[in-house]
Amino acid sequence: MSSAPWWGHALVLVLLLAVSAGVYQRTFHLGFFSLDDPDYVESNPHLENLTGSNLRAILSEPYFANYAPLHLLSYALDVALAGGKSATAFHISNVIWYCWVVGMVYLLALTLRLPLAAAAGAALLFALHPAHVEVVAWISSRKDLVATGFAALAMTCYLRYRQPGAGARAWYAGSVLCFLLASAAKQSVVLLPAALLVWDFLVERRRHWAMALDKIPFGLVTLFFAWRTLGAQPDTAKAFSTFIVGATQWQNLWLLTGLGDYVLYRPAPDPQAGHELVRILVIVSAVGFWLLPLALLRVLRPTQVGLIYWTLIQMTPPMVMRFITPVTDRYLFLPSVGVCLLLANCAAGWAGAAAPKKRWAIAVPLATVALIWAAKTWNYLGEWRDPRTVWFGAKAKSESYQISELLGKVYQEAGDRMNAFITSGKAPKLADDLPLALSITGDAAQVEKLRTEWEGQPQDQSATRAYRDHLWELAWQEFGSAVANRGTVLAPNLYLRRGKLRVDQGKPAEAIADLKRAFELARTHTYEKVRQENGTHVARALGIAYWQMRDYAEALRWYQEAKRIQDASPTVWLPAINQEVERITRLAEGSK
């Protein structure tokens, strides 16, 4: 640990927390996002209050295809403190968690015996890394914050356990406990025991069985959470590809430099793209990169080699698991700890080799990198103004079908709000929909017409009707782009949205093909919740489409199918389905 006085560490922490909070206070107003936030937070029944039954469910049952009880407990605590599901409270909590992780990185840097300036530099780099925007700004990425903070603390405790002095058992127990808590937040930390083994071998130079024996409790934690999570995860139907793993590794390493182009989703590398020789070179070079640090042991310090392997090991799980999208910024949150510590360690080594009067030079390379990263982070945060700007900005940087689908969803839902105003008089929220309208149309005069209509004058609603039709057309274009780029990914929601859009536009005959495609994809989906929820909604949408076409017999058949699927599900997706079935039954009987 550093020999600096306590007030020096306190000052550094205050400055680090001020920087972290100052950068990310821009996220407080973002609200809930339409992806994952509804499932994890808005419609999660276990977060309403901290009752015994809710706590038992959080601690014992997988939720939303994951087993991450500490992740959900962090939300439950937010709800209890805020007195409800306040999006602002969740965003503030995310920033507080981020500040805590920055502090844990600083503590880990000190435990690695970095001087005060280098330790502060490592934590500052971590606070400003542009790959972290998604993790902090998106409520559903809370699990990365919680898991990484406890994983860094687990590493700190383990290093203290390995240092001479009293309290070794307590430090070891603390390390295992922190790893347990990290695993309870997100299973991306499962390879921490492997990183500790490599650290023992390369840095501690342990060469006996104790090196493996003290990893057994860590391994048991890994096995438990892997068992619970794998049992909850659906099969993505993605085949394992060595090329995708190799190409993803290179893409991840580039993004970890802080110089990449950061975006919510990227399409997976195409295993058939390019010449076969190029694909082989990608695989061989990716494997060779794992061997390179060992070849440089005479040039690099063992600690630096250990940090390189920390980074490589921690970014492996999402690469080898058959995820639909193997490259996203949030997967780089834990590996970036190693990168920031490595840069600070190299800067400290360079400054230590300089003349004594030039020791201040430790700040020069770290400050340069920090400024570059700060500029990229600030610019990227500028895209996070509302859900539309996030996806709109992302589309310019990525061809992922998910971005087009989610951008289309923003347009569709805004159009649905306009339609609700036209049909039932339910006025849109001016604070939300006026800025969105200005962002989409860029016409202040048109937006002013919308304002007067939403406030009750005039009554013809012509501007709202034109705006609704424009929104629905934009949604249709984005959904078409998503269909063209989805590849072999099962996407029942995408076809459901397309079909629903055509029904809302009064074109039910054109909706049938998309809705039947959605039903087929939902019926064969590997995730039971998707089969039940999407199957129920798609069957009802088909019933509505045939109802509009006055084919009451076929409409009744699909309504009954929606009721059958829902009755077999533990969740009520459509509370009014029984009444709707009764009504369409009367219409079907009357049409005979």
Side-chain angles (χ1 to χ4, degrees), residues 27-215:
T27 65
F28 292 168
H29 70 284
L30 283 176
F32 293 111
F33 272 54
S34 59
L35 180 65
D36 288 354
D37 286 356
D39 293 285
Y40 275 127
V41 179
E42 292 180 275
S43 62
N44 188 339
H46 305 315
L47 305 183
E48 301 299 336
N49 47 64
L50 291 174
T51 63
S53 59
N54 281 340
L55 288 174
R56 281 193 298 273
I58 289 172
L59 293 173
S60 62
E61 300 173 9
Y63 182 83
F64 197 40
N66 278 292
Y67 180 65
L70 192 58
H71 173 215
L72 299 183
L73 279 174
S74 74
Y75 292 142
L77 182 60
D78 290 348
V79 174
L81 293 176
K85 294 179 178 178
S86 164
T88 300
F90 286 117
H91 282 295
I92 292 174
S93 185
N94 263 26
V95 174
I96 292 173
W97 277 103
Y98 189 57
C99 291
W100 176 71
V101 179
V102 171
M104 292 303 99
V105 173
Y106 177 64
L107 183 61
L108 178 55
L110 292 174
T111 309
L112 289 171
R113 303 180 186 277
L114 288 178
L116 180 66
L124 180 64
L125 290 179
F126 185 84
L128 297 174
H129 201 300
H132 297 173
V133 171
E134 176 184 328
V135 174
V136 186
W138 191 358
I139 293 172
S140 292
S141 285
R142 170 78 59 80
K143 51 185 172 288
D144 294 277
L145 294 167
V146 181
T148 297
F150 280 111
L153 188 55
M155 181 69 171
T156 297
C157 291
Y158 186 82
L159 293 177
R160 292 302 305 272
Y161 150 68
R162 291 297 308 143
Q163 294 172 5
R169 291 183 179 179
W171 286 116
Y172 177 74
S175 181
V176 175
L177 175 61
C178 288
F179 178 58
L180 173 68
L181 295 173
S183 300
K186 188 178 181 180
Q187 280 68 66
S188 59
V189 302
V190 294
L191 291 185
L192 180 62
L196 296 179
L197 270 173
V198 171
W199 189 272
D200 279 349
F201 187 82
L202 293 175
V203 182
E204 299 284 339
R205 299 187 181 279
R206 299 175 75 187
R207 301 290 192 274
H208 45 78
W209 281 107
M211 179 180 72
L213 290 176
D214 60 16
K215 306 303 180 300

Side-chain angles (χ1 to χ4, degrees), residues 337-497:
V337 174
V339 170
C340 295
L341 292 171
L342 176 64
L343 291 175
N345 191 285
C346 292
W350 176 71
K357 292 184 179 181
K358 295 183 179 180
R359 289 292 180 90
W360 58 268
I362 191 173
V364 173
L366 296 182
T368 302
V369 175
L371 287 172
I372 295 172
W373 288 4
K376 289 188 70 70
T377 295
W378 192 259
N379 289 336
Y380 185 26
L381 270 171
E383 296 179 17
W384 291 72
R385 298 191 298 275
D386 56 62
R388 189 259 181 179
T389 58
V390 172
W391 301 119
F392 189 79
K395 189 175 180 183
K397 297 185 283 186
S398 172
E399 296 179 353
S400 170
Y401 88 93
Q402 291 167 298
I403 291 174
S404 294
E405 178 184 359
L406 291 163
L407 178 57
K409 183 181 179 184
V410 171
Y411 293 136
Q412 183 180 27
E413 290 178 345
D416 291 345
R417 292 194 295 274
M418 300 305 106
N419 196 52
F421 173 65
I422 293 167
T423 58
S424 65
K426 183 180 179 181
K429 292 182 179 180
L430 299 183
D432 294 333
D433 279 295
L434 284 176
L436 180 63
L438 183 60
S439 174
I440 292 172
T441 66
D443 187 338
Q446 180 71 10
V447 172
E448 189 58 32
K449 291 180 182 178
L450 292 172
R451 178 199 294 276
T452 59
E453 290 185 3
W454 298 347
E455 291 179 339
Q457 300 174 359
Q459 295 297 320
D460 65 0
Q461 302 173 332
S462 58
T464 303
R465 290 178 185 276
Y467 179 49
R468 177 201 62 184
D469 294 343
H470 179 56
L471 287 166
W472 278 347
E473 184 56 34
L474 290 174
W476 181 255
Q477 293 172 9
E478 294 301 332
F479 291 154
S481 176
V483 167
N485 292 323
R486 79 175 182 91
T488 60
V489 176
L490 297 176
N493 264 328
L494 172 58
Y495 288 94
L496 171 59
R497 292 188 181 110

Side-chain angles (χ1 to χ4, degrees), residues 231-244:
Q233 285 277 320
D235 185 3
T236 62
K238 282 283 187 178
F240 180 81
S241 167
T242 307
F243 169 75
I244 288 180

Side-chain angles (χ1 to χ4, degrees), residues 543-586:
I544 293 173
Y546 281 111
W547 190 337
Q548 285 190 3
M549 296 164 63
R550 300 185 183 278
D551 187 344
Y552 298 124
E554 190 68 7
L556 176 60
R557 185 174 78 83
W558 282 106
Y559 264 103
Q560 289 173 333
E561 179 66 9
K563 183 178 182 303
R564 183 193 68 78
I565 298 172
Q566 178 167 278
D567 288 346
S569 167
T571 305
V572 176
W573 312 108
L574 300 170
I577 190 68
N578 291 334
Q579 294 90 324
E580 291 176 348
V581 169
E582 291 175 4
R583 184 181 177 189
I584 192 64
T585 298
R586 290 193 295 270

Side-chain angles (χ1 to χ4, degrees), residues 234-305:
D235 185 3
T236 62
K238 282 283 187 178
F240 180 81
S241 167
T242 307
F243 169 75
I244 288 180
V245 173
T248 300
Q249 176 179 299
W250 286 119
Q251 193 168 9
N252 281 342
L253 289 171
W254 171 244
L255 293 171
L256 283 169
T257 66
L259 303 176
D261 211 4
Y262 299 92
V263 66
L264 279 158
Y265 285 108
R266 297 173 187 82
D270 184 357
Q272 304 303 320
H275 194 277
E276 183 177 0
L277 179 60
V278 174
R279 297 197 295 271
I280 293 173
L281 287 175
V282 168
I283 296 170
V284 172
S285 61
V287 173
F289 193 83
W290 282 73
L291 302 176
L292 182 61
L294 295 177
L296 297 176
L297 267 174
R298 292 187 178 182
V299 179
L300 301 176
R301 297 177 179 181
T303 299
Q304 295 168 349
V305 175

